[in-house]
Amino acid sequence: MGADSLFVGQRIMRLDQVDSTNSFAMGILKGMPVEEGVVITTAKQTRGRGQRGNTWESEPGKNITCSIILKPTFLDPSLQFDLTRVASLALSDVIADLLPERDIRIKWPNDIYVDGKKIAGILIENVLISNRINYAVVGIGLNVNQTEFSASGTGATSLKLLGQVEFDLNNLLRMICAAVEVRYLQLRAGKTEQLRAEYFNRLFMANIVTRYTDFTKVFDAKILEVTKEGFLVLELTDGSLRRFAMKEVGWVGVTQ
Ligand code: BTN
């Protein structure tokens, strides 16, 4: 493994089972220094974690559940959303390679959607030391060969459901490592504006008026911008602008 990348995935820790690859990675980072690019992957998570304190369900042995350890010490913590862009673009690059006919989108902040259904999620956790990002743990859950999803997973899809074939998990992990490395090196080389523009161009529902909620009321709006810090700026149908952090807004659906 590792022919396609210089450092991401050169060392892979494969675990039969673990509570969460992100929790495991955060645990080892507390105890010892770890080289950049180490990947932790498992066939089964017993307490897979998602965004906003949700759980991440994944049928054992069928999907990618992994965490990539990076050391973005060059990145100002106020711009850590650029890492979200790196991971979302990398994952959508891989999926677009495998499913070239499909519409691959990033749903702000970092869900990957294919033809309107969620195929992957990302959970990034940072270890900050004196206002510096010492480590970032990039957790990736990609639905691969799973074809049935629980009631709570309605609206989910997988590579197999879309591509009608079984995918090789080792090969996929190699592709993900290579793609993350490419996008991460883009960030490290200072090509931030390019990354931000590409992220914006791949956004789900960009330039389309859809229904959102701020959890007190619903309103129709379209995405105007994602700020460099990662806030979502919506333009409401009355022309006013509103800015939201991650947990402050939900997507309700397409306006009838
Ligand atoms: C989301 O969409 O809510 C984010 C899901 C992230 C899931 C991955 S699976 C590997 C890694 N370990 C975890 O516990 N979570 C992430």
Side-chain angles (χ1 to χ4, degrees), residues 20-22 45 48-51 56 65-66 111 118 121-122 140-141:
S20 144
T21 55
N22 265 40
Q45 288 190 131
R49 294 188 290 114
Q51 295 280 348
W56 180 255
T65 43
C66 72
D111 289 339
K118 180 163 171 172
I122 296 165
I140 293 174

Side-chain angles (χ1 to χ4, degrees), residues 42-58:
T42 189
K44 181 176 174 187
Q45 288 190 131
T46 52
R47 287 175 68 95
R49 294 188 290 114
Q51 295 280 348
R52 295 171 292 272
N54 290 329
T55 54
W56 180 255
E57 304 297 339
S58 175

Side-chain angles (χ1 to χ4, degrees), residues 62-63 143-147 158 160 165-169:
K62 300 242 166 158
N63 303 309
N143 299 333
V144 183
N145 294 321
Q146 182 169 342
T147 52
S158 67
K160 184 171 179 183
V165 289
E166 196 91 6
F167 287 81
D168 181 279
L169 293 177

Side-chain angles (χ1 to χ4, degrees), residues 88-156:
S88 318
L89 283 168
L91 204 46
S92 57
D93 288 341
V94 170
I95 298 165
D97 252 16
L98 298 168
L99 305 171
E101 309 296 317
R102 305 282 183 167
D103 186 35
I104 323 292
R105 297 272 150 201
I106 300 166
K107 181 163 167 279
W108 178 87
N110 56 8
D111 289 339
I112 312 298
Y113 272 55
V114 182
D115 293 350
K117 290 188 163 189
K118 180 163 171 172
I119 195 166
I122 296 165
L123 179 66
I124 301 182
E125 296 177 291
N126 295 315
V127 180
L128 294 175
I129 294 183
S130 54
N131 203 35
R132 202 165 49 106
I133 308 175
N134 209 31
Y135 290 105
V137 174
V138 180
I140 293 174
L142 168 63
N143 299 333
V144 183
N145 294 321
Q146 182 169 342
T147 52
E148 280 168 24
F149 294 91
S150 66
S152 62
T154 49

